[in-house]
Amino acid sequence: MRCFPEFVPAVPADRARGHAEGVWRRLERRVDEFRHESGLPVDLLMHVADGVQAPDGAHAQAIAAIVDEAFANIVQHAYAQNVRIRVAVDPPPQPVLYLVISDDGIGTTAEAMTHVAEGGLARMQGRATRLGGRLAIDSLADRKSTR
């Protein structure tokens, strides 16, 4: 599954620095918690362009909820051995946040993906959509999964 929420507003760099530390540090802490709870290695890479205000409020909550739901899916369904998280934010004037969570788990069938209308994947889709983003899911039983 790939999440491409397009809701990161641009602000002057001097205002952005203080905000940027909050949500990104919270994400780092959540990844550390997941590593400890699941015992899985997680490779985290973040690249946030200078001059971009970090998401806050509903946007930060949506990112956290999407990450938590992806972690739950990995533990409950994927039987993964490794997890990778990539966060990238384009530079102003039109920054876009890209969140890609992937694992080397068993994936799922194309048929099962047609029943995404309920549950965690639907909640992830709803959160991204409500904030002007989108969620793409790439997961098949014969390939690695990307959230």
Side-chain angles (χ1 to χ4, degrees):
M1 196 173 343
R2 291 185 184 111
C3 178
F4 303 101
E6 301 175 2
F7 50 70
V8 183
V11 298
D14 59 339
R15 284 187 41 214
R17 297 254 184 254
H19 297 289
E21 307 227 338
V23 70
W24 307 132
R25 288 202 196 281
R26 286 192 301 273
L27 178 59
E28 288 173 340
R29 278 196 306 273
R30 181 60 189 112
V31 167
D32 286 342
E33 290 170 2
F34 179 74
R35 284 180 184 126
H36 178 74
E37 294 165 2
S38 69
L40 293 173
V42 180
D43 179 28
L44 173 63
L45 177 66
M46 288 193 279
H47 175 74
V48 179
D50 287 337
V52 175
Q53 179 181 5
D56 59 6
H59 296 107
Q61 290 173 351
I63 292 168
I66 288 168
V67 168
D68 282 344
E69 190 64 50
F71 284 164
N73 287 342
I74 290 167
V75 169
Q76 295 172 10
H77 307 294
Y79 304 104
Q81 298 299 308
N82 297 283
V83 179
R84 294 181 72 183
I85 301 174
R86 299 293 177 259
V87 177
V89 184
D90 294 338
Q94 296 294 325
V96 175
L97 182 146
Y98 301 92
L99 171 62
V100 179
I101 303 172
S102 58
D103 63 66
D104 62 354
I106 62 171
T108 188
T109 64
E111 179 182 340
M113 293 304 294
T114 63
H115 303 290
V116 176
E118 301 176 359
L121 297 178
R123 286 189 296 273
M124 292 168 74
Q125 176 68 50
R127 286 182 177 103
T129 301
R130 279 190 298 278
L131 297 173
R134 62 188 174 101
L135 183 78
I137 300 168
D138 181 9
S139 178
L140 296 176
D142 61 348
R143 294 190 337 218
K144 295 177 182 177
S145 298
T146 303
R147 289 172 181 57

